[in-house]
Amino acid sequence: MILDSKIPAGPLAEKWTKHKFSSKLVNPANKRKYDVIVVGTGLAGASAAASLAELGYNVKAFCFQDSPRRAHSIAAQGGINAAKNYQNDGDSIYRLFYDTIKGGDYRAREGNVYRLAEVSVKIIDQCVAQGVPFAREYGGLLANRSFGGAQVSRTFYARGQTGQQLLLGAYSALSRQVANGKVKLFPRTEMMDVVVIDGQAKGIVTRNLITGAVETHAAHAVLLCTGGYGNVFFLSTNAMGSNVTAAWRAHKRGAFFANPCFTQIHPTCIPVSGDHQSKLTLMSESLRNDGRVWVPATVEIAEKLRKGQIKANDIKEEDRDYFLERKYPSFGNLVPRDVASRNAKYVCDEGRGVNETGEAVFLDFRDAIKRDTRKIIEQKYGNLFDMYKQITGEDPYENPMMIYPAVHYTMGGLWVDYNLMTTVPGLYALGEANFSEHGANRLGASALMQGLADGYFVIPYTVGDYLAQLAPTKVDENHPEFARAKEEVKQGIERLLKINGSKPVDYFHKRLGKIMWDKCGMARTEIGLKEAKAEIQALKKEFWSNVKVMGTNEELNQTLEKANRVADFLELGELMVDDALNRNESCGGHFREEYQTPDGEALRDDENFAYVAAWKYLGEGQDEELVKEELVFENVKLTQRSYK
Amino acid sequence: MKLTLKIWRQKNAADKGGFATYTADQVSKDMSFLEMLDVLNDQLTEKGEDPVHFDHDCREGICGMCSLYINGKPHGPQQTTTCQLHMRSFSDGETITIEPWRAKAFPVVKDLVVNRSAFDRIIQAGGYVSVNTGGVPDANEIPIPKTIADLAMDAAQCIGCGACVAACKNASAMLFTSAKVSQLALLPQGQVERKARAEKMVAQMDAEGFGACTNTGACEAECPKGISITNIARMNREYFSAVVSSENI
């Protein structure tokens, strides 16, 4: 099978304009005859649902939370990139495109990334018009800050809560359409399967989380805006409920899964404190604008620190190693996330870690406070400092923060073409759920940009092109496929409830997380990955024979919800390992120890691996089939990424 | 640390419910409150008892999903969300009482889980600027004084958790509603629909069965995001000036 990315021909800057013009349109009066299902109400889902409803389509929006406003986009802190060049510092659409392609270590499609940069400027306009209170300068115009992997200030922000404000903006637009009767909302409802009829997506199966009722919903198109799969690692910065179930079940129905091993480890998270830990908390990348990352210059000093004989502030300037500034003088503390994470790991592996576990580095604001005063730092990062103090009990104004990398984002996801359509016609994936824009590493403040670009400005055009080719007649929910898919979901639930083993769901999830983190995390080796595959297979077997799920289906049952999700993570984990094993190179967040430059940077192999690895599901217990989409670079030259 | 937990158990909305007592030993001071409950739930599961249901998601204090009325206070003793509350705020041997939010407009679903959809319906009544996607002016076309933008942001920080309602003896939703009314009344983008918004949102708030405000200030004191009751004063001004010049009635 050949994967057609459907990237339009012609000059980069004209592709999207041409594509929009050649897309078919649905007559305004006919739009009300088409139904669209949107699963997930984060930035991608809420913006898509609102925009499609505004156009006149009938939308059903689903989320597992009690309100669409709680989707995990809300937790994004730092900001959103846009090529506005308001700062007159040399930014442009092309530069944002270039930074994103380079930041992704040349494993993303040129056409998609250029479109993302192109529509980025409209996102800011849209959000301001909705009443999103972005940070402003005294003259009343919008403020910007810098983020990793860029040398211009193009990040728009709302204190340390940019994701919250953007999501509440999209949620307000969605709420307006609910009031208008164009969106029907299904909170506390989880998608359990996709219904595919004659090769086309025609609906979904859901479980009402309050009553347990398994139901079907029919539509002309289904949009999965269901986020990433970072929780496969158990500990991550994702919300507790974030899961891969919708994407995974779609995968099993024919949607290819692309680059599953591309996961982002974020350098600035609060370190793990003990076995009870349920999640990790991110400290925004924006902190690296003013915070300096360092460890003691020698192992001896680090040991004293770990034993509590000295404190960070006792360590003299010459005994501190500002390792990012030393190794990467031009980008300094603002190198991309994969580079910053890997270097933190290196210094900790050398024995220079600064907390009890030896797995932490300092992020120090002493010099910034001296330079700018505490008040300025408080204004910029007050809520983040408060959060740090709340969690650790330490005051970061007095002592440097301690941070360590943690799983944060997944660049991989469902394979989509330029129209954001998966390999199942009528089934789309938007935002983090797809694989398309970030290559092997995402730059900071680009996730919000992608989610909103997909939902506000891409899908309204591309879904119309598909719907225009369908007859405007209702999808028949009495088709036997609906009943069959529903029955399969019910059987899956019964199977879980019947096991009645002896171990809680988290027991398995934690063990899976540890395998993934140790062997498919920040650094991977062939031997380790092979071990991981066998271990996951054994764990999966154990799960299906010994998990204990309390209660029944016909009630609110949080254990059952979790068991369903962990069952899918176990399958996904194996595919991630297969993908990491297949990719015999290092690129971005995928670091295979066998493939590195003499100074420890990722060593790509463009000749053999400049492709998207899309995986096709072949059946229970079978290895998946690899289908390659070659990446074509017409505009940028592939070079070794350098941030020195 | 060893703790005694008195937790509200209620099978479903129709069940009467009541307190059950549990012992939590081996609690570490570094645990978050919800992690302490995770450990309890794993123990209950291993014993074959139904785990305690509670709402939670981001565990970063921003999604607003977690609730819990702890020792007579929404989100417990600190001015933060329950997910950010850590066990170092409690002492060894303490008895902790955990209840759901109590308000007529927030019916209990199960155990500590309540239904807060009433908040969504208040926003649906008018908590937005009516602009469609596309066709909007450039983001820098309308300058907004920094002081105004900052005030709007202060109000916009509301996470919709419902602690204000749980804290209020009247179960009033004035702080929640006023935060959205204020944010949009302060910004130039919100001016066109300013009057209608205040009227509609207040009407929906009343229709949902939330109580009136008697200015006790409990909502502000318990709000994990420090939303100020000056927003309520602003909403009252907005509402009264809307009503006296209303075009809707």
Side-chain angles (χ1 to χ4, degrees):
Chain A
M1 177 175 182
I2 293 166
L3 283 171
D4 182 4
S5 65
K6 304 215 172 100
I7 301 274
L12 191 59
E14 290 165 25
K15 284 181 194 289
W16 179 231
T17 308
K18 266 177 64 182
H19 189 71
K20 281 192 287 186
F21 183 72
S22 58
S23 295
K24 293 181 187 65
L25 298 172
V26 178
N27 172 318
N30 269 350
K31 287 199 175 85
R32 68 175 73 95
K33 296 175 185 163
Y34 292 97
D35 303 320
V36 180
I37 282 171
V38 180
V39 186
T41 57
L43 287 178
S47 60
S51 302
L52 294 175
E54 287 161 8
L55 286 171
Y57 299 111
N58 307 307
V59 177
K60 282 183 173 183
F62 297 81
C63 65
F64 69 77
Q65 299 90 345
D66 71 334
S67 162
R69 66 180 288 154
R70 310 212 196 277
H72 196 52
S73 305
I74 204 149
Q77 298 168 353
I80 176 166
N81 287 329
K84 282 284 197 186
N85 193 29
Y86 282 161
Q87 304 303 325
N88 195 31
D89 60 356
D91 200 9
S92 63
I93 289 169
Y94 195 86
R95 189 178 295 280
L96 175 54
F97 153 75
Y98 181 79
D99 286 348
T100 307
I101 284 275
K102 177 186 171 194
D105 220 355
Y106 308 97
R107 290 292 175 265
R109 288 185 195 135
E110 282 188 344
N112 282 59
V113 176
Y114 192 88
R115 174 178 66 190
L116 176 66
E118 187 179 336
V119 303
S120 70
V121 293
K122 293 167 73 175
I123 295 171
I124 305 304
D125 300 342
Q126 189 64 35
C127 296
V128 167
Q130 289 169 344
V132 169
F134 282 120
R136 286 177 184 269
E137 305 289 357
Y138 283 101
L141 302 184
L142 291 161
N144 287 114
R145 61 183 168 205
S146 314
F147 252 64
Q151 286 175 313
V152 293
S153 283
R154 62 160 76 98
T155 305
F156 294 80
Y157 63 100
R159 294 191 192 145
Q161 294 120 288
T162 317
Q164 180 198 25
Q165 294 310 314
L166 297 180
L167 183 62
L168 293 182
Y171 161 76
S172 75
L174 176 68
S175 298
R176 178 172 155 244
Q177 294 309 315
V178 173
N180 286 347
K182 290 305 291 181
V183 174
K184 190 161 174 357
L185 210 55
F186 294 84
R188 291 205 199 261
T189 307
E190 181 145 21
M191 184 190 123
M192 305 297 287
D193 210 345
V194 186
V195 180
V196 180
I197 299 173
D198 299 330
Q200 294 181 329
K202 292 293 179 192
I204 60 171
V205 182
T206 58
R207 179 172 179 270
N208 179 320
L209 298 182
I210 303 290
T211 64
V214 176
E215 287 156 346
T216 55
H217 300 270
H220 296 88
V222 175
L223 276 50
L224 301 184
C225 312
T226 50
Y229 49 87
N231 271 346
V232 68
F233 290 88
F234 184 73
L235 286 181
S236 80
T237 65
N238 285 8
M240 301 301 285
S242 300
N243 68 83
V244 77
T245 290
W248 191 253
R249 307 254 163 127
H251 175 53
K252 290 170 98 168
R253 292 277 178 199
F256 289 9
F257 210 105
N259 299 336
C261 80
F262 286 172
T263 47
Q264 176 161 82
I265 316 281
H266 195 293
T268 51
C269 299
I270 299 178
V272 175
S273 75
D275 291 336
H276 55 263
Q277 193 106 14
S278 61
K279 81 152 269 156
L280 295 169
T281 303
L282 176 79
M283 290 279 105
S284 168
E285 176 161 314
S286 61
L287 292 168
R288 287 198 274 143
N289 271 297
D290 288 300
R292 298 179 70 193
V293 179
W294 66 278
V295 289
T298 65
V299 177
E300 292 72 47
I301 302 174
E303 262 167 16
K304 280 191 196 161
L305 195 63
R306 287 198 291 268
K307 285 182 189 148
Q309 293 163 350
I310 52 169
K311 291 231 179 309
N313 290 332
D314 301 335
I315 300 174
K316 289 196 233 97
E317 197 60 27
E318 60 267 28
D319 291 331
R320 298 175 173 208
D321 177 15
Y322 296 92
F323 55 93
L324 292 177
E325 296 171 30
R326 171 172 58 79
K327 284 178 78 174
Y328 308 96
S330 63
F331 279 72
N333 292 298
L334 282 174
V335 290
R337 291 174 174 175
D338 54 336
V339 179
S341 292
R342 206 143 48 234
N343 281 283
K345 181 181 188 305
Y346 288 155
V347 294
C348 290
D349 287 351
E350 284 166 27
R352 295 196 280 151
V354 298
N355 69 348
E356 281 173 28
T357 65
E359 291 194 333
V361 301
F362 286 128
L363 179 63
D364 200 340
F365 291 86
R366 185 192 64 176
D367 297 347
I369 291 171
K370 221 184 283 173
R371 182 187 68 222
D372 294 342
T373 73
R374 175 174 168 149
K375 200 174 153 221
I376 300 276
I377 296 299
E378 237 176 70
Q379 275 174 7
K380 281 190 189 170
Y381 311 113
N383 68 316
L384 298 170
F385 277 48
D386 291 348
M387 190 156 83
Y388 182 87
K389 192 175 176 188
Q390 192 67 42
I391 293 170
T392 62
E394 293 269 344
D395 181 0
Y397 292 103
E398 299 297 328
N399 297 301
M401 283 184 182
M402 286 195 273
I403 53 159
Y404 198 66
V407 175
H408 179 55
Y409 185 89
T410 51
M411 283 74 70
L414 292 173
W415 184 90
V416 290
D417 63 16
Y418 192 66
N419 294 318
L420 306 181
M421 197 193 279
T422 67
T423 46
V424 177
L427 181 67
Y428 293 78
L430 283 67
E432 192 180 352
N434 75 28
F435 87 103
S436 64
E437 329 289 66
H438 307 295
N441 173 59
R442 179 175 65 74
L443 291 181
S446 284
L448 303 185
M449 172 171 69
Q450 189 214 339
L452 291 181
D454 287 359
Y456 283 136
F457 298 112
V458 178
I459 204 72
Y461 293 91
T462 61
V463 88
D465 180 60
Y466 173 75
L467 294 174
Q469 299 170 55
L470 302 179
T473 46
K474 280 269 166 213
V475 175
D476 180 14
E477 219 176 309
N478 293 317
H479 192 284
E481 274 305 314
F482 279 94
R484 200 168 74 106
K486 183 175 167 178
E487 196 47 41
E488 281 178 28
V489 166
K490 282 184 169 174
Q491 282 169 6
I493 292 168
E494 265 169 45
R495 200 175 146 209
L496 279 169
L497 286 167
K498 264 195 205 145
I499 299 167
N500 197 24
S502 64
K503 293 288 180 195
V505 179
D506 268 355
Y507 167 82
F508 297 95
H509 196 180
K510 282 182 183 175
R511 278 176 59 195
L512 173 66
K514 183 151 172 42
I515 299 170
M516 297 303 291
W517 178 248
D518 288 347
K519 294 173 177 168
C520 194
M522 245 190 298
R524 301 145 179 197
T525 64
E526 188 184 342
I527 300 169
L529 288 165
K530 283 184 173 158
E531 286 168 3
K533 188 170 161 91
E535 287 168 29
I536 295 168
Q537 284 172 342
L539 186 65
K540 191 172 133 193
K541 233 173 156 179
E542 197 186 329
F543 173 85
W544 283 103
S545 61
N546 198 25
V547 72
K548 184 162 198 164
V549 184
M550 296 299 304
T552 65
N553 176 59
E554 287 71 31
E555 61 179 333
L556 175 62
N557 187 340
Q558 293 174 331
T559 327
L560 176 62
E561 292 165 27
K562 191 138 208 253
N564 254 315
R565 295 167 187 166
V566 171
D568 291 333
F569 279 135
L570 281 161
E571 296 183 7
L572 165 80
E574 200 181 327
L575 183 65
M576 288 170 70
V577 168
D578 282 341
D579 187 43
L581 259 174
N582 169 69
R583 195 168 277 278
N584 289 320
E585 64 161 351
S586 294
C587 56
H590 170 64
F591 193 75
R592 283 278 300 271
E593 286 184 8
E594 302 95 325
Y595 307 99
Q596 51 180 308
T597 63
D599 44 359
E601 304 293 341
L603 184 62
R604 284 197 331 266
D605 176 355
D606 293 329
E607 202 163 311
N608 296 304
F609 290 97
Y611 64 74
V612 175
W615 297 88
K616 182 182 180 186
Y617 184 80
L618 296 176
E620 182 84 41
Q622 292 193 46
D623 278 343
E624 302 206 359
E625 180 190 336
L626 171 65
V627 184
K628 296 176 188 176
E629 179 206 330
E630 296 296 334
L631 288 166
V632 182
F633 293 93
E634 294 168 336
N635 299 277
V636 298
K637 201 170 148 264
L638 276 62
T639 55
Q640 152 103 42
R641 265 190 328 167
S642 171
Y643 292 97
K644 286 187 195 288
Chain B
M1 275 163 56
K2 194 174 169 180
L3 301 164
T4 304
L5 304 173
K6 273 181 70 186
I7 303 179
W8 184 263
R9 302 303 307 261
Q10 182 174 337
K11 224 172 153 26
N12 50 47
D15 183 24
K16 200 163 156 249
F19 283 103
T21 306
Y22 303 94
T23 310
D25 31 29
Q26 295 173 330
V27 174
S28 135
K29 284 191 179 305
D30 289 329
M31 277 181 182
S32 73
F33 196 84
L34 298 182
E35 284 166 351
M36 185 270 295
L37 289 179
D38 290 342
V39 172
L40 174 75
N41 276 344
D42 274 356
Q43 287 166 356
L44 290 177
T45 304
E46 285 183 12
K47 278 196 281 183
E49 290 177 43
D50 197 25
V52 179
H53 281 61
F54 57 90
D55 267 329
H56 64 103
D57 200 25
C58 78
R59 297 205 179 185
E60 292 183 25
I62 193 77
C63 76
M65 186 116 176
C66 67
S67 50
L68 304 193
Y69 201 69
I70 303 164
N71 286 346
K73 284 181 161 222
H75 295 302
Q78 304 249 337
Q79 203 180 3
T80 177
T81 56
T82 296
C83 66
Q84 296 294 287
L85 178 65
H86 280 66
M87 296 315 291
R88 67 180 78 91
S89 299
F90 298 89
S91 40
D92 193 22
E94 202 174 328
T95 297
I96 304 176
T97 308
I98 310 170
E99 297 169 77
W101 281 175
R102 305 277 189 195
K104 185 178 145 202
F106 288 165
V108 173
V109 174
K110 181 175 179 176
D111 293 344
L112 304 168
V113 175
V114 300
N115 181 349
R116 286 168 287 191
S117 299
F119 271 10
D120 286 327
R121 290 188 292 270
I122 292 175
I123 298 295
Q124 285 156 18
Y128 43 75
V129 178
S130 297
V131 287
N132 284 354
T133 303
V136 298
D138 183 88
N140 259 348
E141 192 144 308
I142 310 170
I144 302 174
K146 187 175 185 308
T147 44
I148 298 293
D150 284 347
L151 272 178
M153 180 62 198
D154 288 342
Q157 290 189 82
C158 168
I159 58 173
C161 64
C164 46
V165 175
C168 177
K169 60 177 181 165
N170 305 323
S172 168
M174 290 283 271
L175 193 66
F176 169 79
T177 311
S178 69
K180 188 51 74 181
V181 167
S182 283
Q183 176 201 341
L184 297 177
L186 283 160
L187 295 170
Q189 287 81 7
Q191 296 313 303
V192 173
E193 298 164 286
R194 191 171 169 176
K195 286 200 267 180
R197 178 181 305 115
E199 284 185 274
K200 286 185 194 165
M201 289 181 74
V202 168
Q204 188 63 36
M205 183 179 82
D206 292 342
E208 295 290 348
F210 291 106
C213 173
T214 46
N215 287 312
T216 64
C219 52
E220 179 188 72
E222 299 296 347
C223 174
K225 294 291 146 182
I227 305 292
S228 162
I229 49 168
T230 55
N231 289 304
I232 296 183
R234 188 178 292 110
M235 180 167 82
N236 284 335
R237 285 201 302 275
E238 290 293 315
Y239 180 73
F240 291 125
S241 69
V243 171
V244 294
S245 61
S246 177
E247 288 142 18
N248 293 329
I249 295 165

